[in-house]
């Protein structure tokens, strides 16, 4: 792989041990994937932030990188942590966990990483432009950046994203290259999805069916005329979770679709397929639900505004987490939406989410509008799930 003089100097340790380690990671990845050279990146999103996932080994590595003088060279934001940084007690997060999570955030801050703690960086300032090369981790955000924005990123892991941040580079392979962005399978959607659970179900059905495709899986999804930002983030989260998809094209909606002809191999998806997928994620009765969560991926301002409308003057009867970024919450505070929501007894779980917070086994069944959240609620936390429309999730909380 060709390395510039500057890249060779990073590799030789001339900018310190952390930059050297970072360059070694990128060079190794580049060699494994056959990259011809590195590409500069201007935007990084790092995952692997919750102490629940990192543990002491992960924290030790981050501390070593911070102590070795690692500094982010480009705008670098952070995925959700395992707790609301200011309000963790009301979410039942233990003090020892909070202290360890704080050490993780301190290490990132020492490296100049902006501790946004959100999986929707594109909603508040880390917004790449069409065609821009970036290095993002967090599968839902990667899929959104590639598909909806038309930026170019591989599905980075925490270490490779941090390495890109500390060097401002990533190896040129995968979704950075034109040839891997071509659609590989046509999907004919015969019944247009109407809401977040439908889009999540569509992601699950496509994801389940595309699993067997080798190499880069890039569905060309035909038959959808309209999709909101919120619908698209639901689809991205689900299709990435169930199918490992990092890029899709939606003709008429996503910007690169017009560059390609639809692939000849195609599969059809009918309303019954979506209904079956939703049904498969509904394995709890309403009476069993003792936890309600909205915000996977993190909520937009429009969604928080809607929750405020639905909760005004009401009282919740179950633990209800509203997960979003601190930046979006700040605007909700200023507009009075947060006061309405909190007066109803719902809790903002800012900086975190129902998947990365340490709540395994704490609840029996969770209601949500997110197919991705259902997957992890069951697989990681051992909850049963109900996948419902957004408004119905709020109604479930006040039932
Ligand atoms: Fe975001 Fe947590 Fe869902 S990181 S996409 S809210 S699992």
């Amino acid at each position: 792989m060709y390395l510039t003089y500057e890249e060779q100097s990073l590799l030789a340790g001339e900018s310190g041990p952390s930059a050297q380690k970072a360059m070694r990671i990128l060079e190794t990845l580049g060699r494994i994937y056959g990259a011809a050279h590195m590409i500069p990146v201007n935007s990084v999103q790092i995952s692997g932030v919750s102490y629940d996932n990192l543990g002491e080994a992960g924290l030790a590595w981050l501390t070593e990188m911070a102590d070795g003088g690692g500094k982010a060279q480009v705008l670098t934001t952070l995925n959700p942590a395992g707790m609301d940084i200011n309000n963790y007690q009301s979410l039942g997060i233990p003090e020892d966990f909070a202290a360890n999570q704080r050490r993780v955030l301190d290490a990132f801050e020492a490296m100049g990483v902006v501790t946004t703690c959100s999986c929707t960086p594109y909603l508040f300032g880390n917004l790449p432009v069409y065609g821009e090369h970036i290095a993002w981790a967090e599968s839902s955000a990667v899929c959104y950046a590639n598909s909806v924005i038309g930026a170019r990123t591989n599905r980075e892991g925490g270490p490779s994203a941090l390495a890109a941040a500390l060097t401002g580079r990533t190896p040129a392979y995968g979704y950075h290259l034109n040839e891997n962005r071509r659609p590989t399978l046509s999907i004919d959607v015969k019944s247009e999805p109407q809401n977040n659970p439908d889009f999540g179900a569509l992601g699950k059905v496509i994801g389940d069916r595309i699993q067997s495709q080798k190499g880069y899986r890039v569905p060309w999804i035909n038959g959808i005329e309209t999709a909101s930002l919120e619908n698209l983030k639901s689809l991205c989260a689900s299709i990435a979770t169930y199918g490992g998809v990092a890029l899709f094209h939606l003709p008429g909606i996503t910007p690169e679709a017009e560059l390609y002809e639809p692939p000849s191999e195609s599969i059809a998806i009918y309303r019954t397929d979506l209904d079956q997928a939703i049904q498969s994620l509904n394995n709890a009765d309403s009476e069993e639900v003792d936890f309600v969560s909205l915000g996977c991926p993190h909520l937009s301002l429009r969604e928080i505004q809607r929750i405020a409308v639905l909760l005004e003057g009401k009282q919740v009867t179950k633990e209800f987490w509203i997960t979003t970024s601190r930046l979006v919450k700040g605007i909700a505070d200023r507009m009075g939406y947060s006061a309405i929501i909190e007066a109803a007894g719902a809790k903002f779980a800012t900086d975190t989410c129902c998947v990365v917070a340490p709540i395994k086994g704490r609840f029996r069944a969770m209601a949500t509008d997110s197919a991705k959240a259902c997957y992890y609620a069951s697989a990681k936390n051992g909850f049963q799930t109900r996948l419902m429309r957004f408004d119905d999730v709020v109604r479930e909380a006040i039932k």
Side-chain angles (χ1 to χ4, degrees), residues 79-80 119 138 140 237 295-298 323 352-356 372 376:
N79 231 32
C119 51
E138 169 46 43
S140 67
C296 175
H298 271 178
T323 65
T352 188
C353 77
C354 64
V355 171
V356 298
K372 174 176 180 176
Y376 285 104

Side-chain angles (χ1 to χ4, degrees), residues 18-34:
S18 296
Q20 182 181 36
K21 282 187 193 119
M23 201 62 209
R24 274 196 199 131
I25 291 172
L26 298 179
E27 199 233 12
T28 305
L29 271 178
R31 288 198 191 284
I32 291 170
Y33 288 102

Side-chain angles (χ1 to χ4, degrees), residues 300-313:
S300 66
L301 187 61
R302 182 160 46 193
E303 289 173 312
I304 294 177
Q305 190 181 37
R306 180 69 187 155
I307 295 171
V309 167
L310 293 170
L311 281 186
E312 185 150 26

